[in-house]
Amino acid sequence: MTDYSEEQRNELEALESIYPDSFTVLSEKPTTFTITVTSEAGEDDETVQTTLKFTYREKYPDETPLYEIVSQENLDDNDVMDIIKLLEQQAEENLGMVMIFTLVSAVQEKLNEIVDQIKTRREEEKKQKEREAEEEEKQRFHGTPVTIENFLNWKAKFDAELLEIKRKKMKEEEQAGKNKLSGKQLFEMDHNLDTSDIQFLEEAGNNVEVDESLFQEMDDLELEDEEDDPDYNPVNLDSD
């Protein structure tokens, strides 16, 4: 008759020895413990990690243990589902034998694969960005090939923009014309404009001064006498 308790105790001692820093007993009845599994270092020393929780059933190892993921780092939902499926597969294959070390080892390998996949994915993303940058640089120098379709699209857009500019200009000119008053409108608004000069003179009165120095005496003007004019002809005057 199989002594399940004995097998379970022996396995626990072995696990504690193999995983001294990551093995933790949570309870004895039922026997429950956790083991934290960390991948090898990836790019920039980045790792992925998960903590597995196991619970022995009464007839373990003839019954599969209960297991679940209680925490994880740098794993997406698909990675978590893959690990759960892996545990299920390994538990069925090793039924009848103590299997915790086997299950943890399988998860360890899976985490290392995930790190490699992350590294490969990032390298592909980097290459893709470089290709896109190169293509963008080519487009800057060579431009986009002109086709009938993209030319018509460009022309329609250009015509629409030009029409909008014309509309704005016409609107501004129309607005400016409305704001500019004609002479008639100015007089209609202020009737004092037509009498402004007269009003100025009336207000000035006798205070208007004339600078006589600006005018010359008639005697000072050098006017030629008609008789001294060589072209003067009194006969012609009589004929008039």
Side-chain angles (χ1 to χ4, degrees):
M1 182 177 178
T2 305
D3 187 347
Y4 297 114
S5 297
E6 181 68 20
E7 290 196 37
Q8 293 172 13
R9 280 195 301 271
N10 290 338
E11 184 178 43
L12 284 175
E13 291 177 2
L15 293 173
E16 186 174 8
S17 176
I18 296 170
Y19 307 106
D21 299 326
S22 59
F23 176 83
T24 303
V25 176
L26 301 179
S27 67
E28 294 181 357
K29 292 183 180 182
T31 302
T32 303
F33 55 91
T34 60
I35 298 177
T36 299
V37 188
T38 305
S39 71
E40 296 176 355
E43 187 176 4
D44 298 328
D45 293 330
E46 187 177 60
T47 61
V48 293
Q49 179 177 288
T50 183
T51 298
L52 307 174
K53 177 182 177 182
F54 297 98
T55 300
Y56 285 152
R57 291 180 177 176
E58 184 180 353
K59 294 182 179 180
Y60 172 84
D62 287 339
E63 292 180 323
T64 60
L66 300 176
Y67 47 82
E68 62 178 300
I69 294 177
V70 294
S71 67
Q72 56 86 16
E73 293 182 12
N74 300 323
L75 293 174
D76 58 31
D77 292 340
N78 290 332
D79 293 332
V80 172
M81 292 301 298
D82 289 341
I83 292 173
I84 293 296
K85 291 178 181 179
L86 177 63
L87 289 170
E88 181 180 355
Q89 175 188 347
Q90 291 295 317
E92 292 295 333
E93 291 179 359
N94 291 276
L95 190 61
M97 300 180 292
V98 291
M99 64 180 75
I100 302 301
F101 175 77
T102 301
L103 298 183
V104 172
S105 297
V107 172
Q108 178 79 62
E109 292 180 4
K110 182 64 178 178
L111 296 183
N112 291 339
E113 291 177 6
I114 292 172
V115 168
D116 292 337
Q117 291 171 1
I118 292 174
K119 180 180 179 181
T120 301
R121 182 168 62 248
R122 288 180 176 175
E123 289 177 351
E124 287 297 323
E125 290 175 353
K126 181 179 179 181
K127 290 180 181 178
Q128 180 64 26
K129 289 181 179 179
E130 291 175 351
R131 287 193 293 267
E132 291 175 355
E134 290 177 0
E135 186 63 27
E136 183 178 351
E137 191 69 16
K138 290 180 181 178
Q139 292 294 335
R140 289 177 57 190
F141 285 99
H142 299 288
T144 304
V146 178
T147 64
I148 295 177
E149 182 179 1
N150 61 29
F151 173 77
L152 292 177
N153 290 336
W154 170 85
K155 189 175 186 303
K157 183 179 179 181
F158 176 79
D159 291 343
E161 292 176 353
L162 187 61
L163 180 60
E164 183 63 24
I165 292 174
K166 289 182 177 179
R167 287 177 178 174
K168 288 182 178 179
K169 185 176 181 181
M170 291 177 63
K171 187 175 181 180
E172 291 174 357
E173 291 177 350
E174 180 182 355
Q175 189 66 31
K178 289 180 179 180
N179 294 335
K180 185 177 181 181
L181 298 178
S182 64
K184 181 180 179 181
Q185 290 172 322
L186 288 172
F187 280 117
E188 290 176 349
M189 291 178 61
D190 187 356
H191 294 289
N192 293 326
L193 291 175
D194 55 351
T195 60
S196 59
D197 291 342
I198 297 174
Q199 183 178 359
F200 170 76
L201 292 175
E202 290 177 350
E203 291 176 353
N206 296 327
N207 294 327
V208 177
E209 298 181 359
V210 178
D211 189 354
E212 295 181 359
S213 65
L214 298 176
F215 300 92
Q216 290 182 323
E217 295 291 338
M218 292 295 295
D219 295 340
D220 295 337
L221 296 177
E222 296 180 359
L223 298 177
E224 294 182 354
D225 188 71
E226 292 180 350
E227 295 180 357
D228 296 334
D229 186 358
D231 295 327
Y232 175 71
N233 189 351
V235 176
N236 292 335
L237 292 174
D238 294 339
S239 61
D240 293 336

